């Protein structure tokens, strides 16, 4: 391992194990098997110790050929003041520990800032207090911000909400529905769909104005429309006639299926229970070519005993590929289940393994 860090490797390893945001910016860790690098606080699944490498800067880790993790975006945030970066770090910490009790005192202790200073600076950067931010996360007020699989912190910060607290006040309007009625296919909701033949059978994509809400495979086109109707019984469905957006997405997916590119970053509109959403978002953090087990998923969402429920949430995924439930295997390495057939799952895993090797 490299020894360019200003802390010992034991300390770095411990920070990674604890997902300790206090070490963010001090070093980065890369995973040999995936070619991805992360901040210490990244909530993605931890890799085997033997596969970890530590680096002191983004420049060094990228020079070594690693790519930035999409979840913790370690390459972002170089801009902005140190003060701002610290506040982003604190927000990330709150986001990753949102199920726990977090007080201003515990934050100020952890990040070595006075409570008053922390409160004021946090509000200046995010437009809301740490407590409001935490509350919003716990109440799922920020769902709409998270549809691309990005973190709430990133969404809030990069959207430049800064000194405005509108995002919090308007969270319900932003969802388009109040959280209580935030369920599949609200009455009259417009969903457009299109279908294309791929190397893995017919694929139907359907989208609301927020993003893709349905992506499924079938041998027959007619089956797909029936599936869409069953999933969104109250929505108004219309066939898309030459939507540039859907065309682009199909093209991106086609490229991906031919192993010419990585999985495209397409906006999603996921609907489900709070638990399902947590599982689906976790699935989006699993790297290509590095499948995990259902147990890993349960642990990843911090409910280690909910293995069956996690498997069931995978099985209820409505967005094939883009919410990559195919990257979850049984603990013994067997394929487990797949909503669109084990042949498709096997093929996708083989494809991604090949792609991951080429990097
Ligand atoms: Zn990461």
């Amino acid at each position: 391992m490299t020894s360019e860090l200003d802390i010992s490797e034991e300390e770095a390893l411990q920070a990674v194990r604890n997902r300790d945001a206090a070490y963010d910016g001090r070093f980065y860790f890369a995973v040999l098997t995936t070619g991805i690098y992360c901040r210490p606080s990244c909530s993605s699944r931890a890799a085997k110790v033997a596969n970890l490498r530590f680096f002191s800067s983004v420049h060094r880790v990228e020079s070594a050929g690693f790519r930035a993790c999409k979840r913790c975006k370690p390459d972002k945030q170089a801009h902005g003041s140190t003060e701002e970066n610290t506040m982003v770090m604190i927000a990330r910490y709150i986001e990753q520990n949102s199920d726990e009790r977090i007080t201003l005192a515990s934050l100020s202790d952890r990040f070595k800032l006075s409570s008053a200073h922390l409160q004021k600076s946090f509000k200046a950067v995010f437009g809301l207090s740490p407590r409001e931010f935490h509350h919003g996360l716990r109440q799922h007020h920020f769902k709409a911000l998270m549809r691309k699989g990005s973190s709430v912190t990133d969404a809030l910060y990069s959207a430049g909400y800064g000194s405005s607290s509108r995002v919090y006040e308007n969270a319900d309007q932003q969802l388009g529905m109040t959280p209580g009625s935030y369920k599949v296919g609200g009455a009259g909701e417009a969903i457009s769909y299109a279908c294309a033949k791929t190397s893995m059978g017919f694929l139907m994509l359907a989208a609301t104005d927020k993003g893709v809400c349905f992506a499924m495979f079938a041998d027959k086109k007619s089956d797909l429309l029936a599936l869409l109707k069953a999933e969104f019984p109250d929505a108004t469905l219309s066939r898309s006639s030459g939507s540039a957006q859907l065309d682009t997405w199909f093209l991106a997916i086609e490229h991906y299926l031919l192993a010419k590119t990585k999985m495209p970053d397409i906006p999603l509109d996921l609907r489900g229970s709070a638990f399902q959403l947590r599982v689906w978002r976790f699935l989006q953090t699993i790297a290509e070519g590095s499948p995990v087990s259902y147990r890993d998923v349960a642990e990843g969402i911090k409910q280690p005993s909910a293995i069956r429920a996690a498997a069931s949430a995978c099985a209820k995924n409505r967005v094939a590929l883009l919410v990559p439930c195919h990257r979850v295997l049984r603990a013994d390495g067997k394929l487990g289940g797949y909503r669109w057939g084990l042949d498709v799952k096997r093929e996708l895993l083989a494809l991604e393994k090949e792609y991951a090797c080429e990097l």
Side-chain angles (χ1 to χ4, degrees):
M1 287 199 195
T2 58
S3 56
E4 52 166 308
L5 304 186
D6 59 359
I7 53 172
S8 73
E9 288 193 356
E10 285 68 39
E11 194 181 342
L13 196 56
Q14 202 53 47
V16 171
R17 282 204 182 107
N18 297 340
R19 294 171 180 165
D20 193 339
Y23 284 87
D24 283 359
R26 290 182 65 185
F27 74 92
Y28 302 86
F29 73 95
V31 182
L32 289 180
T33 41
T34 60
I36 305 273
Y37 74 94
C38 290
R39 305 168 191 283
S41 69
C42 183
S43 52
S44 300
R45 182 184 56 106
K48 287 205 183 84
V49 174
N51 293 328
L52 298 183
R53 294 294 180 269
F54 300 107
F55 295 86
S56 59
S57 70
V58 168
H59 175 72
R60 280 173 184 269
V61 66
E62 294 206 338
S63 304
F66 292 95
R67 290 176 297 143
C69 167
K70 277 193 199 161
R71 184 173 182 116
C72 65
K73 300 191 170 69
D75 54 336
K76 296 283 150 54
Q77 204 199 93
H79 57 86
S81 66
T82 317
E83 175 81 6
E84 237 170 73
N85 290 345
T86 307
M87 293 308 132
V88 171
M89 239 182 256
I90 293 173
R92 262 185 230 290
Y93 173 80
I94 297 173
E95 188 173 356
Q96 284 160 8
N97 296 280
S98 62
D99 293 340
E100 280 149 41
R101 205 176 99 86
I102 298 174
T103 63
L104 190 58
S106 70
L107 287 175
S108 91
D109 194 44
R110 182 175 195 95
F111 291 93
K112 315 266 182 288
L113 293 166
S114 80
S115 298
H117 177 80
L118 196 157
Q119 176 92 337
K120 193 165 159 253
S121 298
F122 193 94
K123 196 152 187 168
V125 173
F126 288 99
L128 59 169
S129 70
R131 188 171 173 277
E132 288 167 328
F133 182 73
H134 190 203
H135 179 76
L137 288 165
R138 291 186 79 133
Q139 302 300 317
H140 307 287
H141 278 323
F142 299 132
K143 256 182 208 164
L145 292 169
M146 295 173 70
R147 60 180 178 266
K148 279 183 184 167
S150 68
S151 78
V152 170
T153 302
D154 291 332
L156 271 175
Y157 185 61
S158 63
Y161 283 103
S163 53
S164 140
S165 58
R166 272 191 323 225
V167 63
Y168 181 70
E169 286 159 6
N170 295 342
D172 287 354
Q173 284 99 303
Q174 289 200 355
L175 290 176
M177 295 177 235
T178 54
S181 64
Y182 189 70
K183 59 176 200 247
V184 177
E189 190 174 24
I191 293 178
S192 60
Y193 63 90
C195 193
K197 192 158 170 54
T198 73
S199 55
M200 295 187 195
F202 283 102
L203 172 68
M204 179 178 276
L205 285 187
T208 66
D209 57 356
K210 297 192 188 73
V212 171
C213 58
F214 176 103
M216 294 205 191
F217 290 104
D219 292 334
K220 284 189 290 186
K221 267 188 185 180
S222 53
D223 290 349
L224 284 167
L225 191 54
L227 280 169
L228 182 64
K229 278 182 181 153
E231 289 289 344
F232 300 96
D234 297 324
T236 307
L237 307 175
S238 58
R239 182 187 298 277
S240 152
S241 46
S243 148
Q245 186 84 88
L246 276 174
D247 281 355
T248 313
W249 292 339
F250 264 117
L251 200 65
I253 288 173
E254 220 173 314
H255 273 246
Y256 159 76
L257 289 174
L258 293 169
K260 282 183 182 162
T261 58
K262 60 182 178 169
M263 180 72 82
D265 190 14
I266 293 173
L268 301 180
D269 186 3
L270 303 179
R271 310 292 176 87
S273 69
F275 181 85
Q276 287 172 334
L277 288 168
R278 279 166 70 198
V279 169
W280 296 339
R281 289 201 193 99
F282 178 80
L283 297 180
Q284 291 178 276
T285 69
I286 305 170
E288 278 129 352
S290 312
V292 304
S293 69
Y294 292 104
R295 179 183 299 275
D296 291 331
V297 176
E299 281 171 5
I301 59 164
K302 294 185 179 154
Q303 283 189 234
S305 61
I307 298 174
R308 269 165 169 266
S312 151
C314 291
K316 293 210 171 78
N317 176 25
R318 270 178 231 105
V319 185
L321 303 172
L322 305 171
V323 175
C325 59
H326 60 276
R327 293 181 197 149
V328 188
L329 305 174
R330 272 174 27 180
D332 60 6
K334 294 218 172 78
L335 281 178
Y338 192 54
R339 188 168 183 174
W340 300 283
L342 290 181
D343 285 346
V344 176
K345 184 171 188 174
R346 194 177 295 115
E347 231 177 295
L348 285 171
L349 288 168
L351 174 90
E352 295 189 333
K353 197 170 170 193
E354 208 177 310
Y355 173 74
C357 288
E358 281 169 10
L359 292 170

